[in-house]
Amino acid sequence: MSNLPTTTTLRGIALPATKGPGGFFESKSPIDTAWGDLLMTLFCAAGTRVMRRDFGSVLREQVFEPNTEEQAQVIDHVIREAASDHCAHIQIRDVQVTHLDRAMQVRVFFALRTDTANVLSREVTIPKVHLS
């Protein structure tokens, strides 16, 4: 019995699914799984999920708004609200929005609620094109 692991490592399937060395459904780290959960929530338009009309966010609606400090604050709020409502396992620490010529770059600093001391960041670039 001494060969049994003494700690539990949480793992899951990260979405959106990406093909890796282990195929499309290889196991991902908890951080990658959490980032995938947040992306799925942010890029799903609010009210479009059947049987889960409350799921999603209004981030897509904010892409074409003017590049102002107020707009960056709105995006920060949208991300924090989506995480609070749909990703209870994620604690958002900071959101940085950079407006590029034809895109918006968003860097999110977050921690898992099971390990709040380990703050990581991930970045996503959202092109300013029609999203349908």
Side-chain angles (χ1 to χ4, degrees), residues 31-76:
I31 291 293
D32 290 336
T33 302
W35 178 243
D37 292 346
L38 184 60
L39 286 179
M40 189 67 72
T41 302
L42 291 173
F43 290 116
C44 180
T48 59
R49 283 272 174 107
V50 176
M51 304 299 288
R52 286 214 48 206
R53 296 289 181 199
D54 66 327
F55 185 79
S57 79
V58 295
L59 181 65
R60 292 168 47 159
E61 299 169 15
Q62 304 302 318
V63 172
F64 294 103
E65 294 297 321
N67 299 339
T68 64
E69 182 58 35
E70 291 81 17
Q71 181 59 18
Q73 291 172 357
V74 168
I75 293 168
D76 180 289

Side-chain angles (χ1 to χ4, degrees), residues 59-98:
L59 181 65
R60 292 168 47 159
E61 299 169 15
Q62 304 302 318
V63 172
F64 294 103
E65 294 297 321
N67 299 339
T68 64
E69 182 58 35
E70 291 81 17
Q71 181 59 18
Q73 291 172 357
V74 168
I75 293 168
D76 180 289
H77 175 74
V78 166
I79 292 171
R80 289 175 189 274
E81 183 177 51
S84 172
D85 291 349
H86 305 292
C87 301
H89 55 296
I90 300 173
Q91 183 180 66
I92 304 294
R93 296 292 180 87
D94 191 25
V95 176
Q96 297 174 349
V97 179
T98 305

Side-chain angles (χ1 to χ4, degrees), residues 103-114:
M104 178 173 60
Q105 192 173 53
V106 180
R107 178 172 288 279
V108 180
F109 294 83
F110 67 99
L112 296 178
R113 294 206 184 266
T114 56

